[in-house]
Amino acid sequence: MRYTGSTWKRSRRLGFSTLETGKELNGHTIKGHNPRSYGPGQHGVDRKKKPSEYGKQLIEKQKLRQMYDVNERQFRRLFMIALKSKEVTGYAFMKLLESRLDNLVYRMGFARTRRGARQLVNHGHVTVNGKKIDIPSYLCSVNDVIAIREKDKDLKVVQESLDSVVNNCAYVEVNKETKSGKFLREPERKELPADINEAQIVEYYNRKL
């Protein structure tokens, strides 16, 4: 089941910025929010007890799953694909998550969050190689061209998002004028979140197999 509650509370509970901005944790305030370094709720301060090894693995899994904003079924499916690859499982898993269409729409700056990117895809505003794709979990390939559909290029939410982007990640290319981009290459591990321990996630699922 996909989480639909407050992103700020989710990040504080995990002690990890699922938005990759750090705003939920660094004291930045938005619309009355006052993020704290401890978990939400009256017992949040008491949640700093050292977790078990299994608990650490579960936390790492939740950090990655909630960062990409996917449900458990989809997350596990991608892990099983990564497990069958010839690459290091954890890294292969993260690359698969990065190749999801909703993630690439977000990486290209067409949406400010992955949740917003998923909505753009769901509503049919996105094309891949000229064909409308409305499946957020669609796995893109290197050299795929991702664009906002021709009749939707004037969407205010897309333009506002593009205007707010300072730098795109190095493995995508974006043309803000045509509102299109290209998945140039697979990301290197150093370009993915450093504070994710993917080995712990592999161990978590190995326990389940």
Side-chain angles (χ1 to χ4, degrees), residues 3-152:
Y3 179 85
T4 58
S6 166
T7 300
W8 294 69
K9 286 184 178 180
R10 175 175 63 182
S11 294
R12 278 171 40 213
R13 184 175 291 114
L14 293 170
F16 170 79
S17 175
T18 59
L19 294 178
E20 299 179 88
T21 63
K23 290 181 179 180
E24 315 99 301
L25 306 175
N26 66 5
H28 183 89
T29 57
I30 291 181
K31 294 183 179 179
H33 288 277
N34 183 20
R36 292 158 292 215
S37 61
Y38 51 85
Q42 62 178 331
H43 303 297
V45 181
D46 299 325
R47 291 178 182 168
K48 290 190 175 182
K49 294 179 181 178
K50 189 175 180 180
S52 64
E53 195 60 34
Y54 175 77
K56 292 176 184 177
Q57 295 166 4
L58 179 60
I59 289 170
E60 289 302 307
K61 187 205 75 161
Q62 292 298 84
K63 282 163 59 177
L64 190 65
R65 185 176 75 80
Q66 295 189 18
M67 186 182 87
Y68 285 97
D69 202 19
V70 299
N71 62 40
E72 178 62 34
R73 179 181 58 80
Q74 293 174 332
F75 196 72
R76 183 183 174 89
R77 180 179 70 86
L78 288 182
F79 178 83
M80 296 307 295
I81 294 173
L83 191 62
K84 295 175 183 177
S85 78
K86 296 179 180 179
E87 297 183 281
V88 176
T89 301
Y91 176 40
F93 184 35
M94 293 182 77
K95 288 196 294 184
L96 283 169
L97 287 163
E98 278 292 313
S99 72
R100 280 175 55 107
L101 178 56
D102 55 356
N103 177 73
L104 288 171
V105 167
Y106 165 69
R107 292 295 191 202
M108 290 177 180
F110 300 138
R112 292 183 178 180
T113 63
R114 289 184 179 84
R115 189 174 295 184
R118 189 171 64 248
Q119 289 179 339
L120 282 178
V121 177
N122 274 330
H123 294 163
H125 299 311
V126 176
T127 64
V128 178
N129 299 327
K131 181 181 178 181
K132 185 182 80 171
I133 302 291
D134 57 7
I135 303 170
S137 60
Y138 177 85
L139 296 180
C140 297
S141 301
V142 171
N143 293 322
D144 277 352
V145 175
I146 297 165
I148 300 300
R149 201 163 58 150
E150 192 64 39
K151 71 175 188 177
D152 299 322

Side-chain angles (χ1 to χ4, degrees), residues 177-193:
E177 297 300 318
T178 62
K179 295 185 175 64
S180 64
K182 189 174 184 178
F183 186 20
L184 296 175
R185 59 174 174 79
E186 293 181 334
E188 298 175 18
R189 178 60 186 91
K190 65 183 180 181
E191 295 173 305
L192 300 174

